[in-house]
Amino acid sequence: MKKNILTVSIAAVLLACNSGVKKENTVHDSTDSIQYKDTVIVADANANMPEFDINSIKESTVELGVFPYLNAPQSYTYNYDKKISTNDIRDFDREYFAVHGRLIPVEGKSFKVRLEKDRSDGKRFNSLIVDKSYEEAILALGGVKVNDVSIPDSEIVRIGDKELIDKKYGHSLDYNLLDDIKTYVIKAKDKEIWIQYYLLNDESGGITILEKGRLNTLAITKITASQMKSDIEKNGKAILNINFDTDKASLKPDGQEVVKEITELLQSNPTLKLSIEGHTDNSGDAKKNKLLSLDRATNVLNVLVASGVSKGNLRAVGFGAEKPLVANDTEENRAKNRRVELVKF
């Protein structure tokens, strides 16, 4: 996607491929609001935009098939894939959909891809053909168009770049085309499906298909003294994610709970000697990271000693980013590397 610069009187911001927003987090004064089920969206006082009610959408009785319901038009592809890839489907996600020019967050199962032309026939991407093809297919499924008007710049500012760019919840919004974002809703008996796309003339496009749903959270077990003991007996160490305040050695409340479990472990095993070893990811200055990791390990040691654990059975070491568990190539991996290890000595 082309980059584009949108200018507001108080900010000029670079808008990036597939999602972008002005570097501005202004919340406008408001006297009105749009209700979307459990979500209240504050509206500009001067905005004269109708309220959206999902119950106003006629229920479709058409057999929809399986998610994501729509293949790319003939001779077009999703991300150059001839078939829909499961790698492009997320069990739970969020996207901001335009409704009468307002951006509404919807969560559920998502399919977010780029629209590309299969050039095997020698023809170029044709936005008009793709638009009409999707419109015909969606309307045939009982879909209703809920946006075909310009999205005001103030909407992009209101949502902010953290949502639209950093978290990629604005995949199907292109800021060269704020006046031509197409959004549809299909309301079935047991489903609510949102479809939104933009089309760059003679180039490519982007589409999001989202089936609204609730998040099924995963069970998270508590870190316990018995678990630590088992790990140490089996591996010679226990790897812990202890939460500290940002760039500080002070423990967050859940970090304090983990240290209480370490205290219980050591009080129940008075001869156990542990090296408390702090680790960070590779973000920032290496020397500062190493010092921070040592300060955090030392703080854990001091809390344990204050709780009655023998100082002679403990030592604190800081390695910074010198011993990563995994490559620091994603935020998920960097989180794994930010840890404390209890190593038996």
Side-chain angles (χ1 to χ4, degrees):
M1 180 193 307
K2 296 178 180 178
K3 291 184 179 178
N4 185 41
I5 298 179
L6 293 178
T7 305
V8 189
S9 59
I10 51 176
V13 208
L14 182 65
L15 298 174
C17 183
N18 276 352
S19 38
V21 66
K22 299 171 188 175
K23 295 282 185 177
E24 178 76 29
N25 292 318
T26 303
V27 177
H28 298 276
D29 291 336
S30 169
T31 57
D32 301 321
S33 66
I34 294 175
Q35 296 286 340
Y36 181 69
K37 292 193 176 179
D38 297 331
T39 304
V40 177
I41 299 177
V42 177
D44 293 343
N46 296 325
N48 185 24
M49 298 175 184
E51 180 178 338
F52 175 69
D53 180 5
I54 188 61
N55 296 316
S56 67
I57 302 296
K58 183 179 179 180
E59 184 176 299
S60 172
T61 58
V62 179
E63 176 59 41
L64 300 178
V66 297
F67 188 87
Y69 307 111
L70 296 171
N71 288 307
Q74 185 178 0
S75 79
Y76 289 79
T77 67
Y78 291 139
N79 292 344
Y80 292 109
D81 296 322
K82 299 295 183 181
K83 296 182 179 179
I84 292 173
S85 172
T86 55
N87 292 331
D88 296 319
I89 297 175
R90 302 190 69 182
D91 290 337
F92 194 78
D93 198 2
R94 178 185 299 165
E95 182 80 345
Y96 282 85
F97 292 91
V99 178
H100 306 307
R102 299 292 292 175
L103 293 178
I104 292 176
V106 185
E107 296 180 337
K109 188 175 185 178
S110 77
F111 178 68
K112 297 181 178 181
V113 290
R114 285 184 62 79
L115 290 164
E116 305 287 352
K117 180 69 176 69
D118 179 354
R119 297 295 182 91
S120 60
D121 60 4
K123 296 181 179 180
R124 298 184 65 180
F125 192 101
N126 189 308
S127 297
L128 184 59
I129 290 176
V130 173
D131 184 20
K132 294 299 183 183
S133 298
Y134 271 114
E135 181 177 47
E136 182 178 298
I138 295 168
L139 294 180
L141 292 176
V144 176
K145 184 181 286 187
V146 293
N147 192 77
D148 198 12
V149 300
S150 180
I151 300 170
D153 291 351
S154 59
E155 276 298 273
I156 305 302
V157 173
R158 181 178 67 86
I159 303 303
D161 59 351
K162 184 173 289 186
E163 288 283 288
L164 297 175
I165 297 177
D166 299 347
K167 296 180 180 179
K168 301 179 181 179
Y169 295 155
H171 169 82
S172 50
L173 301 172
D174 181 86
Y175 303 103
N176 294 307
L177 300 169
L178 289 177
D179 59 346
D180 200 20
I181 303 297
K182 306 296 176 63
T183 310
Y184 296 82
V185 174
I186 303 173
K187 179 187 175 186
K189 183 178 180 179
D190 57 349
K191 296 176 182 177
E192 183 179 314
I193 300 151
W194 289 74
I195 303 167
Q196 181 168 266
Y197 59 85
Y198 66 86
L199 301 169
L200 292 171
N201 192 39
D202 296 332
E203 292 187 24
S204 62
I207 186 169
T208 294
I209 302 174
L210 185 145
E211 181 181 311
K212 186 174 180 180
R214 293 184 177 276
L215 173 63
N216 294 320
T217 57
L218 304 175
I220 299 176
T221 58
K222 182 181 177 181
I223 299 172
T224 63
S226 60
Q227 180 186 334
M228 294 179 200
K229 182 179 180 181
S230 176
D231 289 346
I232 292 170
E233 290 175 345
K234 183 179 180 180
N235 305 313
K237 64 180 179 180
I239 300 174
L240 308 174
N241 292 110
I242 300 178
N243 287 326
F244 298 86
D245 292 321
T246 303
D247 294 329
K248 297 180 181 179
S250 51
L251 291 158
K252 288 189 174 182
D254 54 345
Q256 295 172 11
E257 293 301 314
V258 176
V259 175
K260 286 181 182 179
E261 294 295 324
I262 301 175
T263 302
E264 181 179 330
L265 167 68
L266 290 167
Q267 289 177 340
S268 301
N269 300 272
T271 62
L272 180 62
K273 296 184 177 181
L274 294 178
S275 174
I276 304 167
E277 302 181 355
H279 300 266
T280 68
D281 61 28
N282 65 346
S283 302
D285 182 78
K287 289 183 179 179
K288 288 183 178 179
N289 283 340
K290 191 166 185 177
L291 179 59
L292 178 62
S293 66
L294 175 60
D295 288 344
R296 287 176 170 178
T298 301
N299 185 37
V300 171
L301 184 150
N302 291 337
V303 173
L304 293 172
V305 171
S307 299
V309 176
S310 172
K311 190 173 183 178
N313 289 349
L314 304 171
R315 66 185 182 199
V317 185
F319 290 104
E322 294 174 359
K323 294 185 176 183
L325 284 177
V326 292
N328 285 290
D329 53 359
T330 66
E331 180 52 40
E332 181 180 359
N333 281 349
R334 286 190 286 273
K336 291 179 181 178
N337 289 328
R338 298 191 293 268
R339 69 197 190 278
V340 171
E341 294 189 0
L342 304 180
V343 182
K344 184 178 180 180
F345 72 90

